[in-house]
C-alpha cells in the first residue's frame, strides 16, 4: 500500500489529478483533533525532561550543561515521539474507524466496482495530509518543549538564562532539527499507511472496526519505536556527537 501511495502521488501530481481538495480537508481535520492534545502533552513533557536532567546534572556537578541536554533531548527524541504517539492515538484511530466503517458498509467495494481505486481516492490524500501535519507539529512541539524547559529551569531550578542558552547553542546543530523533522515525516506516513490498511481490511461488522482501530494504534506505536531506534542509530553513525 505504501508503494501504491507513492506511485499515485507522483503520477497524479504530474498529471494534475491528485486529490488536493481531499488532502486539505483531511489536513484540517488532523489539525483540529491533534493540535490541542499535542500541546497539552508537549508542555509537561518538557517539564519532566527538565526535572530529570536537572536532578542528574546537580548530582554530577554539571549544571552548566542542563540547557544542552534538555534542549537536545526535546528536539531529537521528545518532539518526534510526542507527535508520533498523538497522531497514532488520535488521527490514526479516526482514519481507521472512518475507512473501516466505509468498508463494512461496502462503500469500498462500490468504488472498486466503478473502477475507482480506494488507494488513489481515499488513502493517498490521508497519508499525505498526515505526513505534512506531522512535519508542522514537530516544530511546534520542539519549540514548546524547549521553551517550557527553559522557563522551568529559570523559575524552579534557579538556573541562569545565559548558561542555559550558551550550553544549548554550543551543542545544538541544525541537523538536530532536521533529524526531528525527518523522523516526524516518516512517523506521520507510517501512521497514515497503517491506519488506512487496517481500516480497509476491517471485517465482521462494528466489532471488526473496533478491533481494526485497536490493532492500528498498537501496531503504529510498535513500529514507531522500532523505526525510531534505527533512525537514531543511523544518525549517530553519520553525525557523531559534538564535543563542547
Amino acid at each position: 500500500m505504501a508503494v501504491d501511495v507513492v506511485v499515485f502521488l507522483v503520477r497524479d501530481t504530474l498529471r494534475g489529478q491528485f486529490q488536493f481538495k481531499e488532502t486539505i480537508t483531511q489536513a484540517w481535520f488532523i489539525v483540529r483533533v491533534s493540535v490541542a492534545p499535542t500541546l497539552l502533552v508537549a508542555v509537561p513533557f518538557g517539564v519532566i525532561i527538565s526535572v530529570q536532567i536537572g536532578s542528574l546534572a546537580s548530582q554530577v556537578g554539571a549544571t552548566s550543561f542542563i540547557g544542552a541536554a534538555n534542549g537536545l533531548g526535546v528536539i531529537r527524541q521528545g518532539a518526534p515521539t510526542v507527535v508520533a504517539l498523538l497522531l497514532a492515538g488520535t488521527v490514526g484511530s479516526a482514519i481507521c474507524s472512518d475507512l473501516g466503517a466505509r468498508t463494512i458498509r461496502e462503500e469500498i467495494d462500490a468504488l472498486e466496482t466503478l473502477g475507482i481505486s480506494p488507494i488513489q481516492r481515499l488513502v493517498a490524500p490521508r497519508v499525505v495530509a498526515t505526513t505534512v501535519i506531522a512535519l508542522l507539529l514537530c516544530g511546534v512541539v520542539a519549540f514548546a518543549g524547549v521553551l517550557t524547559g527553559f522557563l522551568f529551569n529559570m523559575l524552579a531550578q534557579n538556573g541562569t538564562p545565559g548558561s542555559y542558552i550558551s550550553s544549548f547553542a554550543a551543542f545544538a546543530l541544525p541537523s538536530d532539527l532536521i533529524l526531528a523533522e525527518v523522523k516526524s515525516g516518516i512517523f506521520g506516513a507510517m501512521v497514515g499507511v497503517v491506519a488506512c490498511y487496517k481500516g480497509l481490511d476491517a471485517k465482521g461488522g462494528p466489532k471488526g472496526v473496533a478491533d481494526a482501530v485497536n490493532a492500528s494504534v498498537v501496531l503504529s506505536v510498535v513500529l514507531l519505536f522500532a523505526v525510531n531506534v534505527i533512525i537514531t542509530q543511523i544518525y549517530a553513525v553519520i553525525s557523531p556527537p559534538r564535543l563542547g
Side-chain angles (χ1 to χ4, degrees), residues 4-240:
D4 290 340
V5 168
V6 175
V7 171
F8 281 123
L9 173 62
V10 175
R11 190 186 68 184
D12 291 351
T13 301
L14 293 177
R15 294 179 177 178
Q17 299 175 345
F18 186 73
Q19 302 292 322
F20 288 107
K21 183 177 180 180
E22 178 68 12
T23 302
I24 294 173
T25 300
Q26 293 299 319
W28 176 241
F29 167 75
I30 294 171
V31 168
R32 287 192 292 109
V33 302
S34 64
V35 169
T38 301
L39 290 177
L40 290 176
V41 172
V43 172
F45 192 85
V47 172
I48 291 173
I49 291 181
S50 183
V51 169
Q52 296 298 323
I53 291 178
S55 176
L56 179 61
S58 298
Q59 293 178 16
V60 299
T63 55
S64 59
F65 295 101
I66 291 179
N70 184 38
L72 293 180
V74 169
I75 294 175
R76 289 184 181 180
Q77 300 296 335
T81 302
V82 169
V83 170
L85 293 178
L86 266 296
L87 286 180
T90 58
V91 177
S93 59
I95 291 176
C96 184
S97 62
D98 175 39
L99 295 183
R102 293 170 184 255
T103 300
I104 65 172
R105 291 198 303 262
E106 299 182 349
E107 293 182 17
I108 304 301
D109 293 336
L111 287 177
E112 293 175 343
T113 301
L114 294 172
I116 301 173
S117 171
I119 297 178
Q120 180 183 20
R121 182 61 62 89
L122 300 175
V123 175
R126 285 164 172 76
V127 173
V128 172
T130 306
T131 304
V132 172
I133 299 304
L135 293 172
L136 299 178
L137 284 178
C138 178
V140 174
V141 173
F143 176 77
V146 172
L147 179 61
T148 301
F150 172 77
L151 294 176
F152 186 82
N153 181 257
M154 299 302 104
L155 300 176
Q157 296 176 322
N158 298 320
T160 58
S163 175
Y164 191 99
I165 295 175
S166 63
S167 65
F168 177 73
F171 287 89
L173 296 172
S175 59
D176 296 325
L177 183 58
I178 295 175
L179 171 67
E181 292 288 349
V182 170
K183 283 184 177 182
S184 296
I186 294 175
F187 294 164
M190 288 174 55
V191 168
V193 171
V194 171
C196 291
Y197 177 80
K198 287 297 182 181
L200 295 178
D201 194 51
K203 297 181 179 66
K207 182 180 181 301
V209 176
D211 293 339
V213 171
N214 180 67
S216 170
V217 175
V218 173
L219 181 59
S220 295
V221 171
V222 172
L223 289 176
L224 293 172
F225 279 107
V227 173
N228 185 37
V229 172
I230 296 173
I231 297 176
T232 302
Q233 291 298 323
I234 294 175
Y235 178 77
V237 174
I238 296 176
S239 179

